Amino acid sequence: MSRTVSDFVIQRVRDWGISRVFGFPGDGIGAFDGALGKAEREGDGLEYIRPTHEEICSLMATAHAKFTGEVGVCVATSSPGAFHMLNGLYDAKMDNQPVVAIIGQQGLNSLGTFTQQESNLERTLSDVAVYVQTVVSPEQAQAVVDTAFRTARVRLGPAVIILPHDVQEMKMPELTPENWVSRSSPVAPSTAIVPPQAEILKAAEIINAGSKVTFLVGHGADGATDEVLKAAELAGAGIITALRAKQVIPSDVPHHSQQLGLLGSRPSMNQMSDCDTLVLLGTNFPYGQFLPKSGQVRAIQVDLKPEQMGLRYPTELNIWGDVKQTLAALIPHLTAKTDMSWQDGVVEGMKEWESEMEAEAMISYDDGVNPRRIYHELNKRLPPRAIVTADAGSTADWYGHHIRLREGMLGDLSGRLATMLAAMPYATAAKFAHPERSVICTIGDGAFQMLGMNELITIKKYMRQWENPQLIIMVLHNDDLTQVSWEMRTEDANPVWATSQDVESVDYAGYAELLGFKGIRVRNDDQAAAAWDDAFAHRGVTLIDAYTSKNVPPLPPKIAFEFAKNTATALLKGDPDATDVVRDTAKALVTEGVERVKGKLKIGQDEDTK
């Protein structure tokens, strides 16, 4: 039987090292789907994972790239499928992840004729894609597929291959030397870029001259943990990680002050306000208001995305290079610091902060379980090599404040896009990528109602394939779009508008039980620890339905005057939850103040002892 374009594309995808794709069928991609089925029957196909929605396909492909370092691949039909996948493709673009989308199209003769499901997909997808191309002839297919994978890897973003339905079925010829026909190779270029020696020496000079050095580490430094730690040791540096980079630096590194900003720690904020040298490693940290004042520090940035360098802070030196290789070249030129007082200050600050976080987690509220308590108890029980996902919204607050990823653990979320519902497809993709590991999804009830509930069906369909079927979904059940409710108060000085914010209450544990999963309900703080113990003892899927307070304030490490003023104004305008918000915020603030005083007294006692 002669080989079709679809047969060729499937084999070429395999040649690029891909074994799994996330897809949803449709007539626009029908011939390609048929070829996938044939390849599966013949034993040389691709593992085809079909969730409940094309948006989930693209989010799973993005998560696969994040959790494996491979190219994620998603497949969908023409216009409606392509449009559904946009959100996940933008997640890949904004978090710099290599993804290839293979999208169907109506036949060549239909292009531009306004027929059913024919749209200008190249125009639609040109903003999100680092490369997008329609295959208009069999001779073009090889170059388009190879260019898509190569570009996705090098430019760290989503590439799109558009396959018209009739082209999918055309005979694929052997390519010979011919004008206008490119013969390409399925070989990935190296991204282990090392900058010139002159730039390495300049970076060393800047770091060696600093006495208060801070490393701000992003997900672009993944795989460079040892090099970051060695460089920080020599420079006497404190380390801050972006939220997506929790897994890069283990939490038990004492001078790692976790995250910066609204979801961050006070020691990280103090580092930024007091440092004299800032080294940004593989990060596009977007919150410039938390970075030093212009001219306060000497700054260096190392990144593989040159367009994102020197963008957040006026850096003195921008190094286009791989973080691991650049630091390996830099380390021999760093002079070991003898005065470690700056780094020691970060260590002491983190001890105080961790005590404060634990104290805030142990507060009891009258209007529901303390969500901090849920995360605090989870963190104490994370098994080795666990994978944790968080959603956009208040789950990201508590993930940042309370989850500490130890060596070998992984964790991630939708970063710069911060799309809701991503925690569920991220967790499911993590199970496919690492079926032997325990995976924990933390998600809010608003996000869970979007498409998360659907994905319990996907889990039911595939869980028998996983070596370790343990997957725990924890839903913060407070019947409110909590993060947006707080943003209405703190950013716009508006009271919560129940019409937009209320979430219909659902028995989420009961829904999980209908599907044959274990359901656990947590209605008071004292049940939180036992719930996690019960879930981790179960070798299967568990949903923890945590009835939490929606009024626990996601307090930043420092409350700005505008934050406090806007919140007060919103409450005075008739916020429906004003009484509970005032009471719960007061409890949190009092606890925070007490713990800070305790911390300062302890530091004073330690100094007296010395």
Side-chain angles (χ1 to χ4, degrees):
M1 184 181 294
S2 61
R3 186 168 65 155
T4 67
V5 169
S6 292
D7 296 327
F8 168 79
V9 171
I10 292 166
Q11 181 56 51
R12 204 64 166 184
V13 170
R14 287 169 56 88
D15 292 343
W16 275 95
I18 306 303
S19 60
R20 177 181 300 120
V21 300
F22 305 93
F24 203 95
D27 68 309
I29 195 70
F32 184 78
D33 286 342
L36 282 170
K38 176 168 71 76
E40 181 186 77
R41 291 189 297 273
E42 294 174 354
D44 59 354
L46 295 162
E47 183 184 11
Y48 183 87
I49 305 301
R50 203 222 75 191
T52 61
H53 196 281
E54 292 96 346
E55 182 176 352
I56 301 296
C57 292
S58 54
L59 285 167
M60 289 179 80
T62 301
H64 179 88
K66 289 181 174 182
F67 288 126
T68 66
E70 302 171 356
V71 176
V73 178
C74 48
V75 182
T77 189
S78 52
S79 299
F83 301 153
H84 281 161
M85 287 210 299
L86 275 171
N87 196 46
L89 295 181
Y90 270 106
D91 191 37
K93 175 182 179 176
M94 297 176 76
D95 280 351
N96 306 317
Q97 296 303 307
V99 168
V100 171
I102 300 172
I103 295 174
Q105 174 62 289
Q106 302 306 300
L108 288 172
N109 290 338
S110 76
L111 300 183
T113 66
F114 310 106
T115 194
Q116 186 178 32
Q117 292 194 345
E118 183 276 321
S119 300
N120 190 330
L121 295 179
E122 287 193 10
R123 181 183 297 169
T124 301
L125 295 159
S126 62
D127 180 66
V128 72
V130 293
Y131 173 80
V132 55
Q133 184 61 55
T134 301
V135 179
V136 298
S137 74
E139 290 79 5
Q140 184 199 16
Q142 184 185 89
V144 170
V145 173
D146 289 344
T147 304
F149 276 91
R150 190 176 296 112
T151 307
R153 276 195 173 278
V154 173
R155 296 185 60 191
L156 298 174
V160 179
I161 301 165
I162 301 171
L163 285 177
H165 193 281
D166 48 356
V167 174
Q168 296 168 33
E169 299 179 289
M170 290 179 182
K171 182 179 178 180
M172 184 68 191
E174 292 296 327
L175 299 184
T176 58
E178 185 178 346
N179 189 31
W180 297 337
V181 175
S182 294
R183 288 169 292 145
S184 58
S185 64
V187 178
S190 171
T191 56
I193 300 171
V194 182
Q197 183 71 0
E199 294 188 6
I200 293 291
L201 295 176
K202 177 64 173 175
E205 181 274 320
I206 294 171
I207 295 172
N208 288 336
S211 60
K212 299 178 179 180
V213 182
T214 288
F215 287 3
L216 177 54
V217 180
H219 195 272
D222 203 23
T225 301
D226 292 343
E227 289 77 12
V228 174
L229 293 179
K230 182 60 177 178
E233 175 191 339
L234 293 169
I239 300 174
I240 299 169
T241 48
L243 192 61
R244 288 199 54 240
K246 270 183 175 289
Q247 67 186 36
V248 178
I249 305 299
S251 61
D252 55 4
V253 172
H255 48 282
H256 172 203
S257 59
Q258 293 291 313
Q259 284 71 66
L260 177 68
L262 291 174
L263 314 184
S265 70
R266 189 174 302 108
S268 69
M269 182 187 68
N270 291 340
Q271 276 195 77
M272 277 298 168
S273 63
D274 297 337
C275 69
D276 60 18
T277 308
L278 176 61
V279 183
L280 300 108
L281 299 170
T283 180
N284 181 33
F285 183 77
Y287 305 107
Q289 68 269 36
F290 296 104
L291 297 179
K293 296 178 181 179
S294 296
Q296 174 187 323
V297 304
R298 302 183 74 181
I300 303 167
Q301 188 164 0
V302 182
D303 211 293
L304 283 172
K305 299 282 284 188
E307 68 274 21
Q308 295 179 3
M309 290 195 288
L311 185 64
R312 305 302 181 197
Y313 189 84
T315 44
E316 180 177 342
L317 179 64
N318 290 321
I319 296 178
W320 187 5
D322 171 70
V323 172
K324 183 181 180 71
Q325 301 302 323
T326 299
L327 289 181
L330 175 65
I331 285 169
H333 303 285
L334 295 179
T335 303
K337 292 286 196 301
T338 56
D339 180 0
M340 303 300 286
S341 58
W342 167 251
Q343 193 180 83
D344 291 342
V346 176
V347 174
E348 291 303 320
M350 274 306 290
K351 290 178 182 177
E352 179 185 329
W353 178 255
E354 296 291 32
S355 295
E356 186 176 315
M357 289 297 95
E358 180 174 11
E360 292 201 19
M362 302 309 289
I363 300 172
S364 292
Y365 295 99
D366 298 332
D367 48 352
V369 177
N370 183 349
R372 290 182 180 271
R373 180 71 173 270
I374 297 292
Y375 281 79
H376 175 74
E377 299 295 350
L378 165 61
N379 185 64
K380 291 198 297 184
R381 291 163 174 79
L382 284 176
R385 296 175 60 77
I387 302 175
V388 184
T389 69
D391 214 81
S394 61
T395 62
D397 291 300
W398 316 133
Y399 173 78
H401 282 173
H402 294 279
I403 296 301
R404 302 290 180 258
L405 299 178
R406 274 80 79 188
E407 184 176 0
M409 295 181 181
L410 299 174
D412 221 322
L413 72 170
S414 173
R416 194 155 63 94
L417 181 62
T419 181
M420 291 175 67
L421 77 83
M424 275 295 286
Y426 272 39
T428 310
K431 283 300 293 185
F432 283 112
H434 303 285
E436 77 286 358
R437 297 196 187 196
S438 297
V439 175
I440 303 95
C441 168
T442 67
I443 191 167
D445 49 4
F448 195 58
Q449 287 190 14
M450 280 184 162
L451 287 173
M453 295 178 72
N454 295 26
E455 282 314 288
L456 286 182
I457 301 171
T458 302
I459 292 168
K460 182 178 177 63
K461 179 180 179 180
Y462 289 103
M463 63 178 290
R464 294 173 187 84
Q465 299 180 14
W466 299 331
E467 175 185 334
N468 171 11
Q470 186 169 87
L471 194 161
I472 304 170
I473 302 103
M474 188 281 294
V475 181
L476 291 183
H477 184 168
N478 56 25
D479 304 331
D480 183 69
L481 298 176
T482 310
Q483 188 75 4
V484 179
S485 293
W486 278 100
E487 288 168 346
M488 292 177 75
R489 298 177 182 118
T490 62
E491 294 182 10
D492 302 309
N494 284 324
V496 166
W497 183 33
T499 303
S500 73
Q501 297 307 106
D502 285 355
V503 174
E504 184 66 22
S505 188
V506 173
D507 180 3
Y508 301 109
Y511 177 67
E513 290 165 345
L514 284 175
L515 292 170
F517 302 145
K518 184 180 184 66
I520 300 175
R521 297 163 182 82
V522 178
R523 298 184 183 275
N524 63 66
D525 295 297
D526 293 336
Q527 295 174 336
W532 286 115
D533 288 337
D534 198 6
F536 281 118
H538 178 56
R539 188 173 172 82
V541 178
T542 303
L543 188 143
I544 297 177
D545 191 352
Y547 289 76
T548 52
S549 168
K550 63 183 176 180
N551 299 309
V552 176
L555 293 174
K558 181 179 180 181
I559 299 177
F561 173 73
E562 184 179 12
F563 178 105
K565 184 188 73 171
N566 287 346
T567 302
T569 302
L571 299 180
L572 290 171
K573 288 180 179 178
D575 191 297
D577 301 310
T579 300
D580 290 336
V581 167
V582 170
R583 183 186 63 238
D584 292 357
T585 301
K587 283 188 176 182
L589 287 172
V590 168
T591 300
E592 177 184 301
V594 168
E595 289 303 313
R596 291 185 69 182
V597 170
K598 284 182 180 178
K600 293 186 184 305
L601 288 174
K602 184 178 184 304
I603 291 172
Q605 291 168 357
D606 291 345
E607 290 299 320
D608 290 342
T609 301
K610 292 177 186 178

